[in-house]
Amino acid sequence: MSVTDVMDASAPTHIAHRDNHTHRDVNGGWLRPAVFGAMDGLVSNLALMTGVAGGSVSQQTLVITGLAGLAAGAFSMAAGEYTSVASQRELVQAELDVERRELRKHPKDEQAELAALYASRGVEPALAREVAAQLSKDPEQALEIHAREELGVDPSDLPSPLVAAGSSFGSFALGALLPVLPYLLGASALWPAVVLALLGLFGCGAVVARVTARSWWYSGLRQLALGGAAAGVTYVLGALFGTAVG
């Protein structure tokens, strides 16, 4: 029997397990504005409509109020998210420009800084210097590594203002539509709108729990309680204001 035959016979018959696990996107490019948009749309429009309903207004006025709240809130949320994410992106780009200039003007100092960083994390000093030297050969790779280590950002994966604005607009409009939907379908009382909105709040909370790995019922009930409290308080205030004005 040849050496090759012996090696083949002794080789394992199973394929080694490869740990190719993946992680969810935690950068918040679309998830944060979508979650906040849906929650805000539900809570704010439900509270707005119950507050107006507390003043004993007509059904037509209530529907117009809900649709106006949907449009105004969606555009406001989109504009706010766009400005916020664009400002954050511009700040990161400015800091990257600073780092890029430092790498161009003082490459040795930046390389030594990177080596010291790796050494502080337990890498042998000689190996840390070698790794830093290898990584610093490519300017763009060096910039990416310094950005990750010093700024905590990935230059190639910055959040998009348009994505954030679009996610916020769409999710807010969808959430704000729920309290109005029963009226558009022919309902004449407030309670169907309240029930549908509260179910939507519970559903949103449960969906968020699926993403964040929290208990779905706890997250759903928490959002239900917060939204219900907001609606109840504004209804009482609307009734008081309606009485006072009337």
Side-chain angles (χ1 to χ4, degrees), residues 85-96:
V85 175
S87 299
Q88 178 188 4
R89 188 184 181 95
E90 290 165 1
L91 175 61
V92 172
Q93 292 289 3
E95 292 300 314
L96 288 176

Side-chain angles (χ1 to χ4, degrees), residues 88-232:
Q88 178 188 4
R89 188 184 181 95
E90 290 165 1
L91 175 61
V92 172
Q93 292 289 3
E95 292 300 314
L96 288 176
D97 288 340
V98 172
E99 192 64 37
R100 190 176 285 109
R101 286 195 300 269
E102 289 298 314
L103 285 168
R104 186 174 61 253
K105 293 180 179 179
H106 311 288
K108 294 298 183 181
D109 292 340
E110 291 297 310
Q111 181 178 319
E113 180 181 329
L114 192 61
L117 177 64
Y118 289 141
S120 69
R121 295 184 176 178
V123 180
E124 291 292 333
L127 179 58
R129 288 192 295 270
E130 178 63 24
V131 170
Q134 291 291 329
L135 295 176
S136 299
K137 289 182 178 179
D138 182 355
E140 287 304 314
Q141 178 177 257
L143 175 64
E144 180 177 341
I145 298 221
H146 279 275
R148 289 176 181 272
E149 298 293 346
E150 298 178 26
L151 302 177
V153 297
D154 183 353
S156 63
D157 192 26
L158 298 179
S160 167
L162 289 176
V163 170
S167 299
S168 182
F169 182 93
S171 59
F172 185 99
L174 183 61
L177 179 63
L178 286 184
V180 190
L181 192 59
Y183 287 100
L184 297 178
L185 296 178
S188 57
L190 179 63
W191 69 265
V194 173
V195 169
L196 182 60
L198 292 179
L199 288 175
L201 285 169
F202 182 86
C204 281
V207 169
V208 171
R210 294 278 297 180
V211 175
T212 59
R214 292 182 62 92
S215 171
W216 65 270
W217 59 267
Y218 173 80
S219 183
L221 288 176
R222 179 179 61 182
Q223 196 59 41
L224 175 65
L226 292 174

Side-chain angles (χ1 to χ4, degrees), residues 30-118:
W30 64 270
L31 178 60
R32 184 184 62 84
V35 170
F36 276 109
M39 297 293 191
D40 196 16
L42 270 165
V43 174
S44 64
N45 221 29
L46 175 61
L48 175 64
M49 291 180 65
T50 53
V52 173
S56 301
V57 299
S58 66
Q59 179 180 340
Q60 182 182 15
T61 301
L62 194 57
V63 172
I64 293 175
T65 299
L67 292 176
L70 184 157
F75 280 108
S76 176
M77 285 286 293
E81 280 296 331
Y82 184 90
T83 302
S84 174
V85 175
S87 299
Q88 178 188 4
R89 188 184 181 95
E90 290 165 1
L91 175 61
V92 172
Q93 292 289 3
E95 292 300 314
L96 288 176
D97 288 340
V98 172
E99 192 64 37
R100 190 176 285 109
R101 286 195 300 269
E102 289 298 314
L103 285 168
R104 186 174 61 253
K105 293 180 179 179
H106 311 288
K108 294 298 183 181
D109 292 340
E110 291 297 310
Q111 181 178 319
E113 180 181 329
L114 192 61
L117 177 64
Y118 289 141

